[in-house]
Amino acid sequence: MRAAKSVFDCNKLGEIVFATPELGRWSTVGGLGVMVDELATGLVKLGQQVTVISPYYERNRKGQTGYLASDPAGIRCTGNIRVTVQNQQVQLGVHEGYERGVRVVFLHNGEVFPAPYQSNGAGHVVFQLAVFNKACLEYCCHRQIQPSVCVTNDWFTGLMAGYVKNGDFGNYFQGSQFLHICHNLQETYEGRIHPGGGDGDLNRVHGLPREWFSDHGSMINPSKCALLQSDQWATVSKSYKEELLESSSLRHLLHAKPNAFAFPNGVPIGDRVKKLDAAAPDHLTAKKRIQMKYFNYKELDDSIPLFAFVGRVTAQKGVHLILDCAEGLIERSG
C-alpha cells in the first residue's frame, strides 16, 4: 500500500485550473461546455485536484436568471473580486460549489456577461475578454491557488497566458504551465474581432502588445494571442490536429510547438447510457417522445418516417446536406 501511494502521489500534477466560456448544464451552447465538464470530472476520478472557472451569465441559454440559486450542486456566493480594465475597477461576484469532486467557480457581473457569447459590439467583446481572463487569474490569487497547469479553452480565454507573460500578475504564476485547447480553429471560430469606425484603438482595452493579436490592420485575434503565449496547445482528436497543422490560418504558430497534444473526445458511456435509458429505454419510446415533443403528436405513429439531427444549425455540422436531400425524400415517399 505504501509503494502504491508513493507512485500515486508522484503522478499527481498539483492543482489544475480550467477557464471556459461555457460549462455543463449551466451554460453549454456547443460541444465545448460538455467536453470541459466531462474532462474535469475524469481528471478528478484519476486523483487530480481540479477547479473550473466560467462566467455566471445574467441569463442562461434558456433565458433564466438566478439559475445558480436552485442548482443541486449547492453553489453559493462567497464574496467578490475586482479587476482593473481600461482604467476602471470592475467588481465580480464569486459563486462556488462542488460538482462530482470538481470545484466549480462562476464569476458574475450582469453587464459584462449578459448571456453566452452575447455582446454589444467589438468594444464590449474585448472588454468581456479582458475582464474574464484577468478575473480568472485574480481568483487564483485571491484563493491562493498556484496552478500547476492552467487549461484555457477556445478564443474566449485566449488572453490569460498573455496577462501572465506580460507581467500583469508579477511572479505569482511563474510555476504554472499554460495549455490552450483548440476546440474549433476554423477562421470563423477563432474569435476574430473587427473594430468599427467609432471603436478607435481597442488595444487600450485589453492592454497587451498589439503584435500578439494581428500581423496587420486593426483586427484582434485572441486565438493568436493564446497560441503565442501558451506553453503548449492541444485539440480534440488526432485527425483534427493534423488538419489544423496543414490548413489552419494560424498553422505557423501551431508548428512552433512541436509536442502538441491530441486525443479523441471521451464519452462517459456508463453515465450516458443511464440517462438514455431513463429517458427512453427503446427505439419506439424514443421515437414517440420526439414526435410528441416536436410535432405535437398525442401518441406514437410508427408509420411516419422520422429523421433526427443533433447538433448546431450551422454549415460546419452538415445541415446543408439534410436540406439538399430533404425535398427529394419527401417527393419520393409521398
Side-chain angles (χ1 to χ4, degrees), residues 288-306:
K288 174 183 175 181
R289 290 197 60 170
I290 293 173
Q291 286 183 331
M292 292 175 68
K293 180 172 182 178
Y294 296 103
F295 300 99
N296 296 319
Y297 281 46
K298 301 302 182 184
E299 287 294 334
L300 169 71
D301 185 346
D302 195 32
S303 68
I304 302 295
L306 175 66

Side-chain angles (χ1 to χ4, degrees), residues 30-48:
L32 188 160
V34 174
M35 184 210 155
V36 173
D37 188 27
E38 294 177 349
L39 176 57
T41 303
L43 286 168
V44 166
K45 289 180 179 179
L46 292 173
Q48 306 300 333

